[in-house]
Amino acid sequence: MSPSLGSTEALSLFSLSLACFGILANTLQGEGEPLIASIAFSGLAFSLCYALIRWLGNAFMRVGFKGRDMAKLKHVEIPETMGAVCALVYLFILMVFIPWPFYKDIVAATSGGGNRDVVQVLQQVETGRLLHKFPHSKLASYLSAILSIQCIVLLGIGDDLFDIRWRHKVLIPAVGAIPLLIVYFVDFGVTQMVVPIPLRPYLGELFDLGWLYYVYMALLSIFSSNSINILAGINGIEVGQSLVIALLIVFNDILYLSPFTPYPHPATDSHLFSLYLLLPFIGVSLALLMHNWYPAKVFVGDTYCYFAGMVFAVDGILGHFSKTLILLLLPQAFNFVYSAPQLFHIIPCPRHRLPHFNARTGLLECSRVEFKKPLPGPIAEVLKILHRFRLLDVETDETGQVVSSSNFTLINLWLVWFGPMREDRLASGLLVFQTVVGLLGLFIRHRMALLVFAQDNW
Ligand code: UD1
Ligand code: MG
């Protein structure tokens, strides 16, 4: 990868940035127009991230952030942990953006509603400015989102540096989620779940989960950040799946904004908030994907996987759509459940489970785990049954002993189903799958919800 930008690249990025600055300057003339400002900021995030990935690649390699691309003929070393660049640009943009969503409130509060002839009432004279009317709770949500994401980025960089043990790193997202949960508690505090109609005779209309709801949200942040990291290992898949999920959430958010729903709708504000967090994320991820797509010039690192997962968790919790989020993470959930035997060491788990590159054909095949010791009888039987249902590729010797099996990941399963293929086709296939499952999930969420719930919260 050349460390400097080509002239067309430089010119395009420069023009894009200039246009974005122009739009931003314009928003300050009106009421701040935060959504338009957020789009402009996302354009800036894209340009900045794209250029920085290029400029910093070699510097990252020098300090040891590098990895070998194992699915290529030559195992060339390329920069790793580029997710850290994304995350820092993202956090920087979120911070600079802070004044925009509150622009109207700040202007109204500091200038007497924009009308200097307004008569000052006594209380106003005592407290000075009208800032006590400022929506502090919204600002608190926004700041807690930044704090939680920062916490997870620290974990990610630590993991890329030191390969932190699995049992240690699962807890860090839960700690990172504490600011978020406190804000949820103070600001929203709803811990009830609407009970599906068939269960209502037993549980009533609403079921209060109480403190378990907070456990559920903490688990969600652990799950979403780790589940992306284990659906990984081929060029473009980590960023690709995150982009698909982000775009699907954006699509769902847009359904809640005018002209699709009349304003003011109770959910409009939380879905706007969700867009402010996601648009810059899409900007930085797109810049990364352009460098990480087959043949990859950089790796994203664990930092990116955790960062992306936490952005979704924060977005889903503060935007009050955590159950919809789970529908969009179904492929990740399947991969997690499917991986569980290896994750919990019931079946041996090699350090890497990414597909095997066949140097003769240039195609990827499923990677295998060899069983040096015979497996216990019941486990071997289960594996053979999974093989019969084409949910695994198991190899047995002449005595019927299981000697090896494909690794337990969705990526390998895809290769078991569709046969060997080139890396980019594999990644595209999985991304199409993610999109289709997500769209189906959203369809079920909004249409079928009426079958099990009395109303859709549209
Ligand atoms: C997780 C997976 C592991 C998988 C790895 C690949 C589990 C429990 N762990 O481990 O099975 O092999 O991700 O990311 O499921 N790499 C490539 N091509 C790519 C991306 C990565 O060859 O497109 C290789 C590079 O050598 C890179 C390394 O994978 O340096 C990164 O692995 P790392 O993220 O450290 O692995 P884990 O997240 O621990
Ligand atoms: Mg990883």
Side-chain angles (χ1 to χ4, degrees), residues 66-72 80 159-160 163 166 169 229-236 238 292 296 299 301-302 306 339 343 349-354 409 423:
K66 55 188 172 188
R68 290 186 187 284
D69 199 340
M70 300 199 258
K72 301 290 180 301
E80 181 134 21
D159 196 23
D160 278 325
D163 261 328
W166 208 71
K169 64 189 182 193
N229 189 29
I230 61 170
L231 188 53
I234 57 170
N235 293 176
E238 298 94 336
N292 181 240
F299 285 138
D302 292 340
Y306 296 144
S339 293
L343 295 180
C349 183
R351 168 67 183 89
H352 278 292
R353 302 190 294 163
L354 51 88
T409 69
E423 197 172 0

Side-chain angles (χ1 to χ4, degrees), residues 231-302:
L231 188 53
I234 57 170
N235 293 176
I237 197 71
E238 298 94 336
V239 205
Q241 64 185 302
S242 307
L243 259 175
V244 169
I245 297 167
L247 288 170
L248 287 168
I249 304 178
V250 166
F251 171 66
N252 186 52
D253 287 335
I254 291 175
L255 293 178
Y256 287 87
L257 305 181
S258 63
F260 298 99
T261 36
Y263 188 83
H265 181 278
T268 303
D269 272 349
S270 50
H271 285 278
L272 263 178
F273 181 87
S274 157
L275 285 178
Y276 300 156
L277 291 183
L278 283 178
L279 296 176
F281 176 78
I282 292 176
V284 293
S285 298
L286 208 57
L288 183 58
L289 185 64
M290 291 171 79
H291 291 93
N292 181 240
W293 190 253
Y294 177 88
K297 286 171 227 75
V298 304
F299 285 138
V300 304
D302 292 340

